[in-house]
Amino acid sequence: MSTAIPSSHPNDAETPVEVVCVGESMGLVTAIGAPLVATETAAFGIAGAEGNVAVGLVAAGHRAAWASRLGADPFGERIAAELSGRGVDLWVTTDETTPTGVMFKDPGVESSSVYYYRRGSAASLMGRGFLDADALAGVRIVHTTGITPALSATCRDMVDQLYVDARAAGAVVSFDVNDRRALWSKEDAAQTLARLADAADIAFVGRDEAERIWGTATASDIRAYLPQCGLLVVKDGDVGATAFSGDDEPVFVRAPRVEVVEPVGAGDAFASGLLAATLEGADLAERLSAGHAAAARVLTTHGDLPPLD
């Protein structure tokens, strides 16, 4: 049985929802002081790429919604409270028969080890028609990631239909490749992620991520592999990011130097910064700089989301 969480609708306020971010958020358990195998202390929070992007957009002064499904459990309640507390509109239903996904994390400076418990989660049951063109009326950007189609066959169908319905509603489709090796085979990932990224109006991909999936070594190689994408943004860690738009010359902006506390969540923050600047009509260099600035704020703190002021 599914019941709706009270939420805002795109037409119920003077300022409409500008961006809808579609995907799974999970409960997050992070080891403190020692690895998970040994620690007796842990922190509880939330994690989820699309929710992170929605939070970043709200922090940048835009109205954003997060669309998904949650279990009727404490983690689901915590996710809803955290996101709504940060100003995100919730387009969410709760399911009393399936759980909210959970992930456990061993944090590190260079990389963090994560362990997922999300198979059969409420969000994995999203399917075709979860959102339709009527629900997306007035929305300017619909954002999702490569995590969502990896959750289940129904989620993959949902993302395919989402592209159609978003465009029918007049919205731009934004897609972050965000490959998660633990969720599906390399073969499925390579094919599906390339298809969705190339069909997007805006796509984000890490240079190293693309090399791992598709064997593309440089930003130019990635562009050649994804020639149809309207705006392709290739992120190269602490080096910088390159944007390819149509037949124009690519635009590169170097990343600022920051003291990294933890890298998780930086890619989501980058996407939120660039999308916010896109809504504001900034040029490509300004949009890349806004992405870097948002990522830098997350890199200097523990957790996927910066602390509330």
Side-chain angles (χ1 to χ4, degrees):
M1 177 180 180
S2 296
T3 57
I5 293 178
S7 60
S8 298
H9 187 273
N11 299 317
D12 70 357
E14 291 183 6
T15 303
V17 168
E18 296 172 274
V19 184
V20 176
C21 302
V22 186
E24 182 173 43
S25 284
M26 298 167 290
L28 171 64
V29 182
T30 305
I32 295 177
L36 282 167
V37 70
T39 189
E40 296 183 1
T41 307
F44 289 82
I46 72 170
E50 298 83 3
N52 292 347
V53 173
V55 167
L57 284 160
V58 171
H62 296 278
R63 188 171 178 199
W66 174 68
S68 191
R69 302 178 83 250
L70 293 169
D73 50 43
F75 279 121
E77 292 176 12
R78 184 165 189 147
I79 290 165
E82 177 78 16
L83 293 180
S84 64
R86 290 176 178 264
V88 174
D89 286 60
L90 301 180
W91 293 11
V92 175
T93 57
T94 54
D95 191 324
E96 297 176 7
T97 63
T98 56
T100 303
V102 181
M103 66 178 285
F104 291 77
K105 181 167 69 173
D106 274 327
V109 173
E110 295 299 324
S111 64
S112 296
S113 298
V114 295
Y115 306 90
Y116 296 119
Y117 296 83
R118 63 201 307 179
R119 190 184 300 258
S121 67
S124 74
L125 299 183
M126 287 187 292
R128 187 177 290 265
F130 174 70
L131 290 176
D132 59 23
D134 289 341
L136 297 170
V139 172
R140 295 176 62 187
I141 299 174
V142 175
H143 176 78
T144 191
T145 77
I147 300 169
T148 307
L151 296 177
S152 66
T154 61
C155 281
R156 196 176 309 186
D157 286 344
M158 185 271 292
V159 172
D160 285 337
Q161 187 63 40
L162 186 64
Y163 274 47
V164 175
D165 290 336
R167 286 171 173 147
V172 166
V173 174
S174 170
F175 181 77
D176 191 337
V177 168
N178 229 332
D179 178 44
R180 292 291 186 269
R181 280 277 46 95
L183 296 180
W184 52 355
S185 71
K186 182 177 179 180
E187 292 73 19
D188 281 349
Q191 180 180 10
T192 302
L193 295 175
R195 176 173 59 80
L196 292 171
D198 204 29
D201 300 301
I202 303 172
F204 302 88
V205 64
R207 188 206 58 76
D208 55 345
E209 170 182 55
E211 185 171 14
R212 181 180 70 242
I213 305 167
W214 302 314
T216 50
T218 68
S220 295
D221 292 340
I222 299 169
R223 181 50 165 175
Y225 197 79
L226 305 172
Q228 303 302 318
C229 176
L231 173 62
L232 176 65
V233 180
V234 179
K235 303 169 292 180
D236 194 5
D238 59 4
V239 175
T242 305
F244 298 86
S245 180
D247 295 326
D248 296 341
E249 286 295 311
V251 176
F252 172 80
V253 173
R254 188 170 298 280
R257 292 195 173 275
V258 298
E259 186 173 343
V260 177
V261 173
E262 187 183 354
V264 175
D268 304 329
F270 183 97
S272 72
L274 187 141
L275 293 177
T278 298
L279 292 168
E280 294 155 14
D283 64 31
L284 274 183
E286 292 169 332
R287 290 154 76 177
L288 292 172
S289 294
H292 286 316
R297 289 190 289 271
V298 171
L299 287 168
T300 56
T301 186
H302 285 292
D304 288 16
L305 299 172
L308 288 166
D309 294 333

